Amino acid sequence: MAPFETDDSTTAAEADDRHAGRRKAARYVVPVAVVGVAAATIGLVPALADSGDPDLPKISAQELIEKIAASDVQQLSGTVKISTDLGLPDLGGLESSLTSGAMDSGNGQGSSADPSAKLTELASGTHTLRVAADGPDRQKLSLLESGSEYSVIHDGKDVWGYDSKSNEVYHATASDSAAAEKEQDVPATPKDLTEEALKAVDDTTSVTVEGTAQVAGRDAYRLVVKPKDSGSTVGQITVAVDSKTGLPLKFTLTPSSGGAAVIDAGFTQVSFAAPAASTFDFTPPKGAKVTEGDAIEDDAHGAHDGAASRKSEEDLGKGLDGLEVIGEGWNSVATFDTGGEGVPTGSDVGGDLGGFLGSLGDKVTGKFGSGTVFSTRLVNALITDDGKVYVGAVNKDALVKAANAAK
């Protein structure tokens, strides 16, 4: 983590460590597919519980950050809520058809219980979750829906996904690289989100402690993280940190544009007692369709369509190999060259889809030429007509400025 503004002085060694952290944080910049990837990156988040103003001993921002870093809660269970408002457009029937297409990408072998598909539903609206953890090898997350439930269970080597609505099961083992990546793709708790946010903290950031709160019956300090400069889409991040354990209990990100929080995350109930061992037991129900994770991967790479998929991935990989970061801190912009020709038109991908893509973006021009800006309330991307991409948690003007500077 790079140096930042708190009440405390910062040593040279700490500054070096934080600069290294800032460089590491560049890997977390969302480079492509603003709507889909940004939603998946921050979609699995819980929302705010009760509030209050407990009387707690004074603590500095530096001390509170150190308390978060030292927190080692291994066992917990509780209820959380997800409230996410990225300001995404209503995709209507197109959304359903795109989701269906993605599920069938492996010659019909996709599963509605695959976490990578199911958890993207948390990208908008408000959802209720039950969570449980017993050390690094046993976790469970259940998404409660009207009349149904979806669960992801990690028990030792086994990773299970179960969708009660469709009675489908997804199974993989921790030794499968794809399974391990699926489980770790999305931050699942306020602690995960806080760690990601603090990686972005640098000398363009103000970090302070602003009062106290009460979340799920627990006394907490309020850590407030704000960009110093204009241009970022982030207004501020507020984290409620448990005064005893140092565990982040609530995470709220408000946009610089104002209005409702983009992410509002927190426990409504929480216990730090060990969950019952049976919490993590899972046996596929009778009659359930079971899909093995490695079977999907093999099928997706076994036929002509798989070869085309590999070619597409290789082309994207070449573009990401040239990923660069322009600027610093909250106003940094990631850029790379897709080698393509900008946003597809109706004639390129089909009239309805092409017209839809065009309607989502705003046309912009500058020294770089011309392109289209795609916006959410948090992450924006400029795709130039010659296939270059500029993306970051910055406004449209900042993207155009970065594209002009890169010419």
Side-chain angles (χ1 to χ4, degrees), residues 8 63 75 85 106 137 209 281 301 315 405:
D8 311 302
E63 289 169 336
Q75 299 171 323
D85 182 8
D137 296 324
V209 177
D281 294 340
H301 290 81
D315 290 345

Side-chain angles (χ1 to χ4, degrees), residues 12-286:
E14 289 171 336
D16 289 341
D17 289 343
R18 290 170 187 156
H19 276 300
R22 187 179 64 189
R23 290 192 297 270
K24 181 179 179 182
R27 297 202 305 268
Y28 295 91
V29 177
V30 183
V32 288
V34 174
V35 172
V37 179
T41 302
I42 66 173
L44 185 56
V45 207
L48 170 64
D50 51 288
S51 61
D53 297 305
D55 186 13
L56 296 174
K58 297 294 184 182
I59 190 171
S60 70
Q62 181 63 39
E63 289 169 336
L64 189 53
I65 289 174
E66 291 171 355
K67 192 175 185 71
I68 295 171
S71 179
D72 189 30
V73 174
Q74 295 289 316
Q75 299 171 323
L76 65 81
S77 59
T79 303
V80 296
K81 287 186 178 179
I82 300 172
S83 182
T84 309
D85 182 8
L86 288 170
L88 301 178
D90 183 4
L91 303 182
L94 180 62
E95 179 181 31
S96 300
S97 64
L98 290 175
T99 303
S100 175
M103 297 292 292
D104 293 336
S105 60
N107 289 330
Q109 298 301 310
S111 171
S112 66
D114 186 340
S116 65
K118 187 66 177 179
L119 296 181
T120 57
E121 294 181 12
L122 304 178
S124 63
T126 298
H127 306 270
T128 301
L129 302 173
R130 283 200 300 259
V131 298
D134 187 5
D137 296 324
R138 306 182 87 187
Q139 299 95 31
K140 181 176 181 180
L141 181 150
S142 297
L143 169 61
L144 308 182
E145 301 173 312
S146 178
S148 64
E149 181 174 316
Y150 173 78
S151 295
V152 179
I153 305 102
H154 174 207
D155 185 10
K157 287 187 176 181
D158 290 307
V159 177
W160 298 94
Y162 176 59
D163 183 6
S164 68
K165 182 182 295 185
S166 62
N167 199 27
E168 292 193 22
V169 175
Y170 173 91
H171 175 251
T173 61
S175 59
D176 296 333
S177 60
E181 288 172 3
K182 285 178 189 298
E183 187 195 357
Q184 298 170 10
D185 272 349
V186 182
T189 68
K191 178 177 173 63
D192 297 333
L193 289 163
T194 300
E195 290 174 347
E196 293 301 307
L198 291 179
K199 288 173 184 176
V201 169
D202 62 10
D203 55 3
T204 67
T205 310
S206 167
V207 183
T208 56
V209 177
E210 298 186 6
T212 62
Q214 192 172 75
V215 177
R218 305 281 301 186
D219 291 346
Y221 293 100
R222 295 178 70 252
L223 183 72
V224 178
V225 180
K226 296 180 181 179
K228 291 181 182 177
D229 302 325
S230 61
S232 174
T233 55
V234 176
Q236 74 175 40
I237 293 171
T238 305
V239 181
V241 182
D242 187 78
S243 62
K244 291 185 177 180
T245 67
L247 180 73
L249 298 173
K250 173 180 176 275
F251 178 101
T252 304
L253 187 157
T254 54
S256 57
S257 59
V262 174
I263 307 169
D264 198 6
F267 288 86
T268 59
Q269 294 178 320
V270 65
S271 168
F272 296 111
S278 60
T279 301
F280 310 100
D281 294 340
F282 181 79
T283 301
K286 184 178 179 179

Side-chain angles (χ1 to χ4, degrees), residues 363-371 382 384-386 388 390 396-407:
K363 291 293 184 181
V364 294
T365 59
K367 294 179 181 178
F368 68 89
S370 59
L382 165 60
T384 67
D385 290 346
D386 58 358
K388 294 182 177 61
Y390 300 86
K396 180 168 64 175
D397 291 342
L399 289 176
V400 172
K401 182 178 179 180
N404 286 337
K407 289 301 288 181

